[in-house]
Amino acid sequence: MKKLIALSCAAFLGLGSAAVFADDDVSSAEAAKLVEEGKIKALDSLEEKALSVKAGQITDRDLEHEYGRYIYKLDIRADDGTDWDIDIDASTGEVLKTEQDD
């Protein structure tokens, strides 16, 4: 019984700490304000950069605040039909991740 309680507590604490590191979606109004303040780049300029990395069509786009920085997360369907995830630092324009989606 003590083992079950200990496991339950560990699972509960693990879920709580995962929430601290969870992604936070940024609303379009907040994104517009951040662009206006010069804190992040406009999405359209970074979409062009993503498409220069992987040609295709953007199927989804999100701005998230993650680990203290803003990241544009773009899903691209490449010309050959494969799906790709591209993460771009919204402030610097640096491509952080290019990964084929499963």
Side-chain angles (χ1 to χ4, degrees):
M1 185 65 155
K2 288 182 182 181
K3 195 175 198 177
L4 179 60
I5 292 171
L7 287 173
S8 297
C9 288
F12 179 72
L13 290 173
L15 289 174
S17 64
V20 171
F21 295 110
D23 300 345
D24 291 324
D25 287 339
V26 178
S27 71
S28 58
E30 185 179 354
K33 182 179 176 191
L34 291 167
V35 170
E36 186 178 303
E37 293 172 349
K39 293 183 179 177
I40 64 172
K41 297 178 183 278
L43 177 59
D44 55 350
S45 67
L46 296 181
E47 284 181 343
E48 291 176 25
K49 184 167 192 165
L51 291 171
S52 73
V53 171
K54 188 56 67 179
Q57 181 176 0
I58 295 173
T59 58
D60 193 21
R61 58 192 55 77
D62 290 305
L63 175 62
E64 296 182 0
H65 190 249
E66 194 173 85
Y67 303 109
R69 66 181 175 185
Y70 293 97
I71 300 173
Y72 283 116
K73 296 185 173 261
L74 304 168
D75 295 342
I76 295 178
R77 169 130 324 131
D79 296 334
D80 65 2
T82 57
D83 292 320
W84 292 83
D85 297 327
I86 310 281
D87 289 2
I88 299 178
D89 185 300
S91 298
T92 66
E94 175 188 3
V95 176
L96 303 171
K97 178 178 89 169
T98 303
E99 181 176 277
Q100 187 173 354
D101 200 11
D102 297 329

